[in-house]
Each structure stands twice: as C-alpha cells, then as structure tokens.
Amino acid sequence: MTKPIVEYKDVHKSFGDVEVLKGIDLDIFPAEKIAVIGPSGSGKTTIIRMLMTLEEPTDGDIIVDGKNLWKMEKNGKMVEADEKHLREIRGDIGMVFQHFNLFPHMTILENCMTAPIHVKGENKKEVKQRSIDMLERVGLGDKINNYPSQLSGGQKQRVAMARALVMRPKIMLFDEVTSALDPELVGEVLEVIRDIAKNDDMAMVLVTHEMDFALDVADKVLFLDDGVIAEQGSASDVIEHSENPRVQEFLSRFRG
Amino acid sequence: MSYWSFERFFEAWPYILKGLHITVGVTISAFLFALVFGLVWTFLRRIPERHINWIVTWVMEFIRSTPPLVQLFFIYYAWPEIPVVGVTLSPFVSAVVGFGIHFSTYIGEIYRSGIESVENGQWEASTALNFSLLDKWRLIILPQAFPPTIPMLGNYFIIMFKEVPIASTIGLTGILHMANSFGSEHFNLIEALTIVGIIFLVLSYPSARLIKKLEVKLNTRFDKNQVIDPIE
Ligand SMILES: Nc1ncnc2c1ncn2[C@@H]1O[C@H](COP(=O)(O)OP(=O)(O)OP(=O)(O)O)[C@@H](O)[C@H]1O
Ligand SMILES: [Mg+2]
C-alpha cells in the first residue's frame, strides 16, 4: 500500500465569520487524478489554493510528503510556518489558474524558463531545451518567441501548463482552467490535460465543470457541497450512479 | 532709452549660458535623488504596521503641501542654525536636497500606483512557481510596474526643471540668477529674461514631445496597465 503524497486532516477555512470549508479529510496518492466538482461557492477553489499556499487554513493540517505544510517545529513547539518552510515544500506543487496569469513582459519561452533557472538554480541550456520540448508538447513549438498578448486564450492556457510542468511538480492543481475560454478553445486545452494525465505520473487535482472530461481522466471524483465532501468515489460512481439527491440535482444542470 | 536692444540681447547670451550647467545639473541631480528617495517612501508605506503607515503618510503629505520655496529656505537658512544636526550646505546641494525630497513624495506615489497596477494574479503565479520574495519583485513585479510610470516620471522631470529657477533666491547661480545680474548691470531686464524663456522653451518642448512618444509606445505594449497620476 503506497503512502499518500498529500493528506488533508480535518481542514477548516473561514473568511471572516463565514466558514467556507467545514472539515475536509482527503488523501491524494502519487499519480492519482482527482476531479473536484460541486456548485459555485462550495469551496472547490479554496481547497486547492490552501495546498498551493495561497490561502492559509483556519484549522486542521495539510501534510505534503510527510511534512506539515502550514506548521513547523520551533523549540519543540508547533508554530505557524514561515516563508522559508513554505518554500521548502511548495516546490512539489504546481498550479494552473483560471486566468492563466502568464508574465506579460516575457516571451513564452522566458515564461517557462525563469522559474527553473532562478528558483531551482538549474543549468540554463538544459532548462531551455526542456522548455522548448514542453512547449512543443503542448503544440506551441512555433510560438516560443511570442509574447503572451499575441496568443489566444487557449494558447495562453497551454503555455501556463508548460510553465508549471517544466518545474516538475509532484502534484499539479488545475482551477477551472477552461472556464475563461471561448467554447471553441476548450477542446485544445482539455486535450493537453488528457495527454498529461494519461502519460505523466504526477498527482493531479482538477477543479472542473467538464463532466465528460472528469469521467474520462479522473480516478476519483469528489463532490463538494457547502464546504464538505458530500460524496466521493470512482468517476462513474459519482457522476453516473450516485443516489445522492444533491449530486443528482447538481448534475442535472449539465444534462440540458 | 529704448526698451529692446539687439546688441544687449546678443551680449547677454554667453553670460546667461554660463549658468546653464548649474540649472541643468541641479535638475538632473535632484531628479536622481527623488527617484531613489521615492523608492524609500514606497517601501516605507508598504510596511504592514498601522502606526508607521500613518506617520509615513502624513510626513509625505506635509512635504507635498509645503511650497518648495519654503523648504529651500529651511534647508539653506534655518537648518544650519539647528544645534548638533545642523550643517551649512551650498546653494547647489541645498537645491538638490530640497527639490529632491519635495519631488520624491510625488515619485513615491507614482511608483505605488505602478506597483498596484500589477494584477494580483502575477503575485499568485510567482508564488505558485516558488519564487523568493526578492525574485518576485526583481523579476516579475517591478519590470511590469516600472515601464508604465516612465511618461509620468518624465513629466515630473520637466515640472522640476521649471521649478529650479526659484533656487536663485538662495543664491544658486543658474540661468535666472545670471539673467538677473546681467539685467541689473545694464539697467534692463527684458532681453535677459527673454533669453531665459527661450532656453526653457528649447529644452522643455522637445523633452515633452519625447515623453509623449514614449507614452504612445509603452501604451501599445502594456495596454492594460493604468497608472494614476498623484496630481490628478
Ligand atoms: N478571499 C476571500 N474573501 C472572502 N470570501 C471568500 C474569499 N475567497 C472565497 N471566498 C468565499 O468562499 C466561498 C468558497 O469560495 P470558492 O472560490 O472556494 O468556491 P468555488 O467552489 O471555487 O466556487 P466557483 O465554482 O464559483 O469557483 C465562497 O462563498 C466565496 O465567496
Ligand atoms: Mg472556484
């Protein structure tokens, strides 16, 4: 039995007085592909942002590869993690955002190269080759010297994926990466994610509204409702055979 | 006696131009001073402590609301009289420090709006890529924050250039001072002051055009970045 690479243990999150996550327990195993579905405002984004260290949990623990992400030991006591501690762990995690967040002042090749060089101190030549390979893989080999503003939304999102992948994370997070795109560009982005999901051995957590896609790539689906994991199981169990009325109601909206 | 003499007009040119390097020198030095000091204000204001923030904001407001002339007088005449910390500064140094500090408060605001024009998503992406705080600033934020501020910085450079003549009141021997002393020697100021006007026009106008050009060029590259002018 392999050990999980990420464990959420009774994780709570409040914004002000409003508790948006009410006790999340979740194991993510190496190479596992998890789809997170659920109504708007149920806390899907917040779950993965806490793992990316963009949001701090109010309570509970997130363990990454055996290390507590948000807490550290200091003089025999557990205290809040500092930036140095977060940086040591964060390198295992990568994220792709809904609005791409590419660096507009850099070419797309530079977008991919800057972090491996400056964060990991890797050899520039090697990083360049790897970045070019990755951009070719996502179908943008002919655009490496373009700036983000010269690309379509779908192309930008594929660059964002390449940029995250060249860092070789163990866990990749995707937050509704197709929902800011024109409908005709969604397919090309899902195709790239499908390719990564089928061929790479990273763990992946995908927040998505694309049910067919979740059925196709996810090993496990979580249905989040009002801050709790209301249902989880294999993709077909949750999406096709769930008895839970909340799940059925939610899914009925996608079946026109 | 005629009001205007071309003879005097041409005689005055070399005399007045002797002050040009002082006027230009003060402008450039004070502007560099303000560029650096503006950065200090910007980072002081980012300290997440309420009291420090409050103090810094009000010190800046105070400096900005006081006329530069009063500040020059203070630095040149009053400062040396203060025990222990008081030092006598030359008119040149007084003007550089005075204009430098005064304009640094505007420039700090320009930097701030430049930094705020960078979307939050840029910070988040650089956190997700695990950049250090220094690298976030150096590689991601400042390279985006700075270019859209260049036209506004240029405007302040010209505004400052046009303010520098008031330093003749503390004895700075710039072009206005030279014009004044030429005028009083010849009992007629009109030619000398006309020359000062021409010099300012000849130097300011092309600079303003250059800045305008730069602005158009930058706007096409950074089309979505908007920076707010603190004066507006
Ligand atoms: N920074 C914040 N400050 C205050 N409230 C927040 C903040 N971020 C999220 N929330 C609230 O937390 C709740 C959960 O938000 P979250 O973005 O995780 O939901 P979601 O499931 O991703 O929704 P969507 O499908 O619309 O993206 C929402 O009610 C949201 O308004
Ligand atoms: Mg969301």
Side-chain angles (χ1 to χ4, degrees):
Chain A
M1 180 74 191
T2 46
K3 270 186 27 193
I5 182 139
V6 176
E7 301 160 74
Y8 285 68
K9 293 182 169 169
D10 196 24
V11 173
H12 292 250
K13 175 67 186 176
S14 302
F15 291 105
D17 293 336
V18 187
E19 188 168 48
V20 300
L21 290 177
K22 303 167 180 172
I24 299 294
D25 287 287
L26 171 65
D27 289 345
I28 303 171
F29 290 92
E32 193 177 25
K33 321 297 178 205
I34 298 179
V36 182
I37 62 171
S40 179
S42 57
K44 307 180 293 295
T45 297
T46 308
I47 286 192
I48 59 174
R49 281 173 62 86
M50 290 189 303
L51 183 53
M52 192 66 262
T53 71
L54 297 171
E55 218 78 74
E56 185 172 358
T58 324
D59 204 4
D61 295 301
I62 300 177
I63 315 293
V64 179
D65 218 357
K67 287 163 284 191
N68 196 320
L69 179 60
W70 283 101
K71 291 172 192 160
M72 60 180 201
E73 206 181 306
K74 199 175 173 187
N75 309 326
K77 267 197 308 201
M78 288 306 264
V79 296
E80 209 173 300
D82 59 15
E83 178 61 19
K84 183 166 165 283
H85 177 88
L86 292 175
R87 278 197 85 201
E88 278 165 19
I89 303 177
R90 200 191 274 138
D92 286 346
I93 308 158
M95 182 160 175
V96 183
F97 298 87
Q98 196 171 352
H99 296 285
F100 334 125
N101 299 351
L102 295 180
F103 304 133
H105 58 302
M106 298 180 185
T107 65
I108 69 172
L109 181 59
E110 289 163 352
N111 262 275
C112 294
M113 289 173 62
T114 176
I117 291 172
H118 290 103
V119 176
K120 294 175 139 185
E122 289 184 64
N123 176 281
K124 195 168 168 181
K125 249 186 154 157
E126 245 171 69
V127 171
K128 183 167 181 184
Q129 196 49 53
R130 196 162 91 224
S131 302
I132 292 173
D133 292 346
M134 197 59 82
L135 285 166
E136 269 164 8
R137 182 175 175 191
V138 301
L140 292 168
D142 56 337
K143 299 264 194 249
I144 57 171
N145 292 319
N146 286 51
Y147 282 89
S149 59
Q150 299 165 312
L151 305 184
S152 74
Q155 292 171 332
K156 283 182 196 166
Q157 198 57 296
R158 287 184 277 147
V159 175
M161 274 185 254
R163 181 177 71 175
L165 286 169
V166 289
M167 288 294 275
R168 296 181 166 142
K170 295 182 187 158
I171 310 134
M172 274 276 274
L173 310 173
F174 298 77
D175 188 11
E176 294 194 35
V177 294
T178 57
S179 63
L181 299 176
D182 293 336
E184 72 270 20
L185 301 177
V186 169
E188 65 187 54
V189 172
L190 292 184
E191 207 41 58
V192 171
I193 303 177
R194 189 171 291 138
D195 165 48
I196 301 166
K198 302 277 184 208
N199 296 305
D200 290 29
D201 54 6
M202 297 171 290
M204 289 167 63
V205 182
L206 306 122
V207 174
T208 183
H209 286 303
E210 306 284 340
M211 295 306 146
D212 294 336
F213 177 73
L215 263 175
D216 183 20
V217 302
D219 303 313
K220 185 157 88 182
V221 171
L222 309 180
F223 174 72
L224 210 67
D225 190 23
D226 197 22
V228 295
I229 298 174
E231 176 111 349
Q232 60 178 307
S234 75
S236 117
D237 283 351
V238 176
I239 296 175
E240 293 180 323
H241 307 294
S242 174
E243 312 264 291
N244 185 326
R246 293 285 298 168
V247 179
Q248 286 177 355
E249 189 207 323
F250 171 74
L251 288 173
S252 70
R253 280 179 247 156
F254 294 89
R255 297 211 180 92
Chain B
M1 191 170 97
S2 71
Y3 287 115
W4 177 272
S5 141
F6 275 105
E7 202 182 318
R8 244 191 337 257
F9 179 69
F10 289 115
E11 197 188 324
W13 271 102
Y15 191 89
I16 293 172
L17 281 175
K18 276 190 289 184
L20 187 62
H21 71 283
I22 300 275
T23 303
V24 173
V26 164
T27 309
I28 291 172
S29 313
F31 194 69
L32 292 177
F33 189 109
L35 286 179
V36 174
F37 220 70
L39 211 59
V40 175
W41 291 124
T42 307
F43 282 100
L44 279 178
R45 281 193 71 158
R46 290 187 72 87
I47 295 174
E49 208 284 320
R50 219 159 40 89
H51 298 94
I52 296 180
N53 219 288
W54 189 85
I55 293 169
V56 173
T57 306
W58 279 101
V59 171
M60 283 177 82
E61 193 55 48
F62 176 72
I63 293 173
R64 224 180 314 169
S65 319
T66 324
L69 182 62
V70 176
Q71 289 166 3
L72 285 183
F73 274 24
F74 184 85
I75 291 168
Y76 188 67
Y77 294 115
W79 184 254
E81 291 171 9
I82 299 173
V84 190
V85 290
V87 269
T88 306
L89 301 173
S90 70
F92 188 94
V93 175
S94 301
V96 169
V97 173
F99 288 120
I101 290 178
H102 186 81
F103 278 89
S104 72
T105 59
Y106 291 104
I107 284 173
E109 285 297 287
I110 293 174
Y111 288 155
R112 188 170 70 106
S113 67
I115 289 165
E116 281 172 6
S117 74
V118 179
E119 284 168 32
N120 198 34
Q122 296 291 310
W123 288 98
E124 296 194 341
S126 39
T127 299
L129 291 168
N130 211 10
F131 282 106
S132 68
L133 184 62
L134 184 70
D135 278 349
K136 284 180 192 173
W137 280 106
R138 195 170 64 90
L139 302 169
I140 311 299
I141 305 303
L142 291 180
Q144 294 181 64
F146 190 62
T149 66
I150 290 174
M152 230 180 295
L153 293 176
N155 284 336
Y156 277 95
F157 182 77
I158 292 174
I159 293 173
M160 183 190 269
F161 179 53
K162 290 188 286 192
E163 293 269 315
V164 165
I166 66 173
S168 71
T169 52
I170 58 167
L172 185 79
T173 51
I175 51 177
L176 182 63
H177 186 92
M178 298 311 275
N180 252 329
S181 72
F182 182 89
S184 41
E185 257 174 52
H186 294 77
F187 306 106
N188 204 327
L189 263 170
I190 188 158
E191 296 86 1
L193 287 181
T194 304
I195 289 169
V196 171
I198 292 171
I199 293 174
F200 273 101
L201 180 70
V202 165
L203 291 179
S204 299
Y205 185 70
S207 316
R209 290 299 299 242
L210 195 78
I211 290 163
K212 203 80 215 151
K213 259 205 182 130
L214 212 62
E215 194 170 356
V216 172
K217 210 167 161 185
L218 287 169
N219 277 348
T220 48
R221 246 196 90 189
F222 285 83
D223 39 8
K224 62 186 172 26
N225 284 346
Q226 278 234 341
V227 173
I228 293 109
D229 190 326
I231 272 184
E232 278 167 8

